[in-house]
Amino acid sequence: MQNMELDLVADVVFVIEATAVNGAYMNELKSNYIVPTIEHFTKGWQVDDGEYLISERHATQYGIVIYRTAANLLDPAVSTYGPFVWPKQVLETIEHLPLVGGGMDSCANMSEGLATAHCCFEDMKERRTRLMIDALNVQRHCILICNSPPYSTPVMECWKHMGKTVEQLAGLFHERKINFSIIAPRKMPVLFKLFMKADGDQPVAAKNYAKNIRHLVLLKGYHLKERPPSPNANTGNVGVAGLMANQMVGPGVGPGGNPQMQQQQQQQ
């Protein structure tokens, strides 16, 4: 049992894609990245702690936003949970999220999820004001956990950000000084692009936090355990252009491939 006041005060919103294709990897992402993230923002707490006492005025606030696909016709595009100040409650909520469905859609309502996250930060700020906490001293972090690219359609359900695209919402994180991070079980060019947009169009840093070579872990404003870069994982550091170039290389290229095909592609 612990009773302590934290030096780090933050508002953290997890934006999670609520589909079966993302839920299939959630246990792996949770143990490797989500739990260490909660431990980072809640100093002194460990995942096996049964009780954790903390002053609510000096606690990290957590919010959870889940977004779905157009296949979930009977459900709203977005649902929210929180805010929470007890880390165990955050973790238990994530473990019981309905990460199912999605139909045959290859995209999801990411723009609706990010728009709702912006609203959550406004609500958290108002709550801090009621507790007489200086909002200027509070770090703000949005952490996107997804496995599908966004729809190309703009926001339709969140009236505060109606008509904004997913790229505009990413840029709004930069304008509002909200740190935007991405955790995904696979690398997608659109996620690199969104991360750079939220970082003021800065290139992706070459730090590697991914435990699995296939994972994409782009963090801003905080860090996890760094891992040595794999000689076969160069796509994690080359950014959007390099990743797209690597995906355009066809089968048969490389050691043991067809030399004639290699020569033709080199000429092209």
Side-chain angles (χ1 to χ4, degrees), residues 6 14 16 19-20 26 32 61-62 82 104 117 136 147 174 196 200 215 238-239 262:
L6 305 181
F14 291 100
I16 303 175
T19 61
M26 187 52 60
N32 291 329
Q61 289 187 131
Y62 294 95
M104 299 298 293
L136 295 177
N147 195 22
H174 177 69
M196 291 190 294
H215 294 171
V238 296
Q262 289 182 6

Side-chain angles (χ1 to χ4, degrees), residues 9-88:
V9 178
D11 291 341
V12 181
V13 176
F14 291 100
V15 180
I16 303 175
E17 176 189 329
T19 61
V21 71
N22 195 38
Y25 298 92
M26 187 52 60
N27 286 335
E28 187 177 4
L29 299 181
K30 182 186 68 177
S31 59
N32 291 329
Y33 313 114
I34 297 176
V35 169
T37 293
I38 298 175
E39 291 176 347
H40 172 85
F41 288 109
T42 315
K43 303 295 185 183
W45 176 79
Q46 300 295 327
V47 68
D48 55 352
D49 286 348
E51 295 184 31
Y52 186 83
L53 300 181
I54 186 173
S55 170
E56 189 170 346
R57 291 189 69 251
H58 299 87
T60 292
Q61 289 187 131
Y62 294 95
I64 299 173
V65 176
I66 64 172
Y67 63 92
R68 303 175 177 86
T69 70
N72 298 84
L73 298 177
L74 301 180
D75 297 318
V78 176
S79 298
T80 60
Y81 303 82
F84 309 109
V85 294
W86 290 276
K88 195 76 173 179

Side-chain angles (χ1 to χ4, degrees), residues 33 207-211 217 219 222-227:
Y33 313 114
K207 293 184 178 180
N208 180 38
Y209 303 105
K211 187 173 182 180
V217 184
L219 306 181
Y222 81 105
H223 62 275
L224 299 177
K225 179 182 177 182
E226 286 193 51
R227 305 182 187 277

